[in-house]
Amino acid sequence: MMASVQPTMARVYTPVNALQEHAEHLQAQSLSDLIGNEATAAGERASALVFTLESLHLDFSKQRITPETLSLLVDWAHSCGVTSKRDALFAGSQINTSERRAALHMAARWPDKVTPPAGMEPAVAFCQHQRDRLTAMVERLHQGEWFGVTGQKITNVVHIGVGGSDLGPKLISEALADRPSHTRIDVDYVSSMDGSQLLPLMERLNPATTLMVIASKSFTTADTHFNVKTALAWLSESLEVDVATISRHQLIGVSAKPEKMTEFGIPDAHQLIFKDWIGGRFSLWSPIGVSVAMQLGMTRFNALLEGAHAMDQHFLETPLERNLPVLMALVGAWNCQFLQIPTHAVLPYDGRLKSLPAYLQQLEMESNGKSVRLDRRSVTHPTCPIIWGDVGPNAQHAFYQLLHQGSHTVSADFVAMAGREVDASPAVKASLIAQEQLTLANCLAQAQLFALGDDAIPTELRGHMAQGYRGNQPNSMLLLKQLDAWSLGALIALYEHKVFVQSVLWHLNPFDQPGVELGKKLATSLFHTLSGSLTKQALVKDPSTEQLLRQVGQWRQ
């Protein structure tokens, strides 16, 4: 008797299945094979993988992809509803489902004479009103009409915040206020919980001419409040004026909680407000950026907003197959989910962008560093990679050895400038231009070596230098015409929208951060334990932490 033959079940086609099969196929090809040379069809591949928006150029030709890969990825994006969810984002729908609110940071940079999408109008109107208040504060300061408690003009600003209230403004400040002649007023940034950034400022700055900006969405962040408390104590003691009077003259508050600012003693005229539908890590365009505007002036601050808005319009209106944020998100998800690359390096080849890796760490990892989907099911694949990096020329002398000849596969973003305006004497200018060219040459060479490995070694050098460059490290090149306010705004908005698109692909909520809350609660209990002010310890005890508390106690005695 013949055994019956069981029919095999055909695999159901889905975009994800197609991408998995495609990834297996591409894994058999090296990046060197894919890139080839301009005399072959590979040259056509390279030209098909570059995209430009005005002064921002994005090159995917050193990624482990082909035009077919992009087509499959775009199909995946359509199947996940990226277009409809993008439209819902701009219409003010409750995209942030866990907190039951919209996510409308784009409204903070919407031009006053451009009609916003239906649903965004009230948010834009509110943001424009606050921008007018911010502008008035900035002009008052720049015209020398803001006086401290002793009647002296304000000359310095200290911006106190943490996380999204610090990283974004600090990044912009470092990138665009690189020369004293380009700044309208000196600004310092304080975020460190331990006071280590504040102490040197108290020795250097004149308390009579220093304005404090406290930036905190909730106005309850412990890190920020302790820094402000110390700063106000310094001003009060130095000027022999009570804290309440200091707060009325030399303190600006930026928060989503005006009632808390009032309770703190900040007058209404010195309050700037943004709504809870602007997340902290998306807030530099809001009044959180007031210190940037004070430092750079409103012309450059507005140019920053204009660049970001141009990227908003591009994201909102451009078909997915040519949409820069969508493509960047898809390529990133391809590397992480389908090629199983766990880390992503951000490598700016311009020292003015030294804080870009740290900024993107928060933007991406706090947004999409999650393993529970919107439907409360666990994800079954990697989501956000670990983001890290440094200024490229410095990193070449630090961790590039591992990237080139180690055992880890890493994806990367190289960020470079095509040129830089230099205002200097002819001799100095010529020398600086040579430095810029050397920096750009290093960036292009390292991206080439990441991708090609040993195949990047010219024939005449083979046998005369060490080999073993592993290659196959996929990377994108983000090339800016120059680092100005418009381009920087567009670049940051590009990454913001990338994060949103990836959240749609992975069915995550990118606008909440429940993972950070428990650590804060435990820290509060431990603070009271260390200070001896907690009678009933709301704290999980473990032997490891207990022995550390005992050691601290012994040394403090």
Side-chain angles (χ1 to χ4, degrees), residues 347-364:
L347 305 168
Y349 271 72
D350 192 307
R352 294 171 292 176
L353 292 178
K354 62 183 178 182
S355 289
L356 181 63
Y359 173 79
L360 294 178
Q361 277 182 339
Q362 190 206 20
L363 178 65
E364 300 206 26

Side-chain angles (χ1 to χ4, degrees), residues 420-422 426-439:
R420 180 175 181 177
E421 292 184 357
V422 179
V428 172
K429 185 174 182 178
S431 183
L432 286 171
I433 289 174
Q435 286 187 264
E436 294 163 19
Q437 292 172 340
L438 178 64
T439 301

Side-chain angles (χ1 to χ4, degrees), residues 51-59 307 311 324 328 477-482 486-495:
F51 303 88
T52 302
L53 175 64
E54 297 192 36
S55 59
L56 192 155
H57 182 75
L58 184 52
D59 186 340
M311 187 60 70
L324 269 64
M328 196 170 180
M477 179 68 66
L478 291 94
L479 182 65
L480 307 184
K481 184 177 180 180
Q482 63 182 15
W486 192 98
S487 297
L488 186 56
L491 178 71
I492 295 174
L494 169 67
Y495 277 104

